[in-house]
């Protein structure tokens, strides 16, 4: 298990210290950069609650959709793996 360490993320020119594992650093930095770009498109700090809620809802929707895609891919891979195993067992009696 990776050790949790602190790192500083910059979002809208403000620094935030978060805890993460070593393997998450690059992805968290990428996520913070994405969030900054999206918030900037909404008007930055003066965007208001509705804009932030809209961004949060959109991000949550994308996350759930990506999770469904990942689950579907895992199911397909499992089915293909089972078919391959069945074929190999039949070919090598």
């Amino acid at each position: 298990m990776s050790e949790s360490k602190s790192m500083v993320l910059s979002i809208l020119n403000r620094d935030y210290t978060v805890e993460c594992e070593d393997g998450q650093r690059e992805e968290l930095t990428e996520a913070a950069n994405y969030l900054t770009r999206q918030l900037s498109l909404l008007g930055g700090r003066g965007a208001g609650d509705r804009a932030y809620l809209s961004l949060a809802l959109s991000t949550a929707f994308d996350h759930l959709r990506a999770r469904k895609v990942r689950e579907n891919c895992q199911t397909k891979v499992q089915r293909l793996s089972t078919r391959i195993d069945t074929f190999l067992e039949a070919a090598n009696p």
Side-chain angles (χ1 to χ4, degrees), residues 30-63:
E30 185 178 341
N33 292 338
Y34 173 79
L35 181 59
T36 295
R37 285 191 305 274
Q38 294 302 311
L39 289 171
S40 294
L41 291 174
L42 292 174
R45 292 185 184 157
D49 290 346
R50 288 185 63 176
Y52 294 137
L53 182 59
S54 175
L55 176 61
L57 182 59
S58 176
T59 302
F61 179 80
D62 289 344
H63 169 75

Side-chain angles (χ1 to χ4, degrees), residues 7-18 28-29 31-33 35-37 39-40 44-46 52:
M7 71 176 287
V8 177
L9 294 175
S10 180
I11 301 171
L12 289 177
N13 298 320
R14 294 186 70 189
D15 290 338
Y16 299 91
T17 302
V18 297
L28 281 173
T29 300
N33 292 338
L35 181 59
T36 295
R37 285 191 305 274
L39 289 171
S40 294
R45 292 185 184 157
Y52 294 137

Side-chain angles (χ1 to χ4, degrees), residues 64-76:
L64 292 174
R65 188 170 41 184
R67 185 169 62 182
K68 284 184 181 181
V69 168
R70 184 180 66 243
E71 288 170 355
N72 288 340
C73 287
Q74 288 173 336
T75 300
K76 287 179 183 179

